[in-house]
Amino acid sequence: MHVYFRGPVDFGLINIDIQPVPCVRNTDSERYKELIIKDIISVSSNGAHLCLSGLRLHVNCGYVAALNGFTSDGEYFRDNIFVVNLRNMAGDSGGPIFYYKKFTYVSLNGILQGGLDDFDDDINDITGVTTISSILNVFEEP
């Protein structure tokens, strides 16, 4: 990784030599393989419907369960996450969390940090999402 942080925000940037297109991968769709990111918005209410585009599970959706989540691994404490009840698998971390605006346009809401899987059903899975604002704030600080 070109730039990475473990705390207080857990994220990394990869240096690539191509011109990236701001879009979300949607490979399971025959018609809409790419969803164009129109804007970045903060999640402002519990119960909001959001989706994940992960490498392993591809696009799946759930609902915001908590706006003020936190994690700690004993070394780092992170309070810049919100919690969504949606399924994810190992390998999906770093995937975009988004809201559908239209069939081909989305708003970016966060980046998947990780989660806990309730293997009995998809309703009680817990996914921690890093807020976009916390990532952008790292680059805005003097």
Side-chain angles (χ1 to χ4, degrees):
M1 282 191 218
H2 183 67
V3 175
Y4 65 92
F5 297 88
R6 294 282 318 234
V9 180
D10 182 13
F11 78 98
L13 300 175
I14 300 170
N15 190 16
I16 56 176
D17 292 326
I18 61 172
Q19 181 63 39
V21 175
C23 69
V24 171
R25 184 176 65 108
N26 190 25
T27 54
D28 291 341
S29 173
E30 291 291 323
R31 200 166 172 189
Y32 307 112
K33 299 257 184 225
E34 291 182 341
L35 306 170
I36 305 300
I37 297 172
K38 290 301 266 186
D39 54 17
I40 298 171
I41 60 172
S42 297
V43 178
S44 60
S45 64
N46 288 332
H49 186 260
L50 299 180
C51 300
L52 157 71
S53 176
L55 180 64
R56 302 271 316 274
L57 282 180
H58 302 176
V59 173
N60 62 337
C61 302
Y63 297 94
V64 174
L67 294 174
N68 297 313
F70 67 90
T71 63
S72 178
D73 63 3
E75 185 176 354
Y76 296 102
F77 176 81
R78 299 175 188 100
D79 61 354
N80 53 4
I81 68 169
F82 60 93
V83 178
V84 182
N85 289 107
L86 65 79
R87 188 163 186 217
N88 69 84
M89 295 178 70
D92 288 339
S93 295
I97 302 293
F98 63 93
Y99 168 80
Y100 278 98
K101 293 179 84 89
K102 294 185 180 180
F103 287 117
T104 58
Y105 297 103
V106 299
S107 290
L108 185 62
N109 303 102
I111 303 296
L112 175 67
Q113 180 177 0
L116 300 172
D117 189 357
D118 178 8
F119 296 101
D120 295 332
D121 60 48
D122 293 340
I123 297 170
N124 295 313
D125 294 330
I126 298 172
T127 298
V129 180
T130 302
T131 62
I132 296 295
S133 60
S134 67
I135 294 170
L136 295 175
N137 287 341
V138 169
F139 293 101
E140 293 176 0
E141 292 178 358

